[in-house]
Amino acid sequence: MTNDIIEIKQLSKRYRTKTALRNINLNIAKGGIFGLIGHNGAGKSTLLKLIGGLIHPTEGEIRLFGQSPADHQGLFDRMGLLIEQAGIYPAYSARENLRLLALAYGLRNGEEHIVRLLHRVGLQDEPDTKVKHYSMGMKQRLGIAMALFGSPDVLIPG
């Protein structure tokens, strides 16, 4: 049995005439931390979207937790994903954004969880300030809190 939570074999993604990724191979072990570095347009976001199931590969294989997501769609529930835009409502506070997420998860009383997440990302002192008044870093931290909301086994911040 492998200790890899993400396995990528010969992964490619093409958009009509443009090849975004070609023959990517990558393994990430449980407990590992991995970063992607590259120029604009190198395919970093495309790779993260493929791993998160937001787009589908042209060729190749992705395995999550030792299984194919094509056969087990529930695997994506085990992932916290934050790629490009976090889906934050700027006219709402961090607490209100997280309350909306709690509703989406079906939690009727998620206040304790919300308070823990705000503290975890360092926004405990600004929970009721409207997000439109946040700095970029604060918005990114709120996005991470949102990605952590479901207590994922894997966090993919992009």
Side-chain angles (χ1 to χ4, degrees), residues 136-152:
M136 180 58 78
M138 292 170 76
K139 290 175 185 172
Q140 289 172 331
R141 285 187 275 149
L142 176 56
I144 291 170
M146 294 173 79
L148 288 171
F149 198 88
S151 301

Side-chain angles (χ1 to χ4, degrees), residues 82 86 88-89 92-98 101 118 121 123 129 131 134 136-148:
L82 173 62
I88 295 171
Y89 293 96
Y92 291 1
S93 68
R95 186 187 317 270
E96 291 166 329
N97 271 278
L98 290 171
L101 196 55
L118 289 170
V121 299
L123 292 176
T129 301
V131 174
Y134 277 12
M136 180 58 78
M138 292 170 76
K139 290 175 185 172
Q140 289 172 331
R141 285 187 275 149
L142 176 56
I144 291 170
M146 294 173 79
L148 288 171

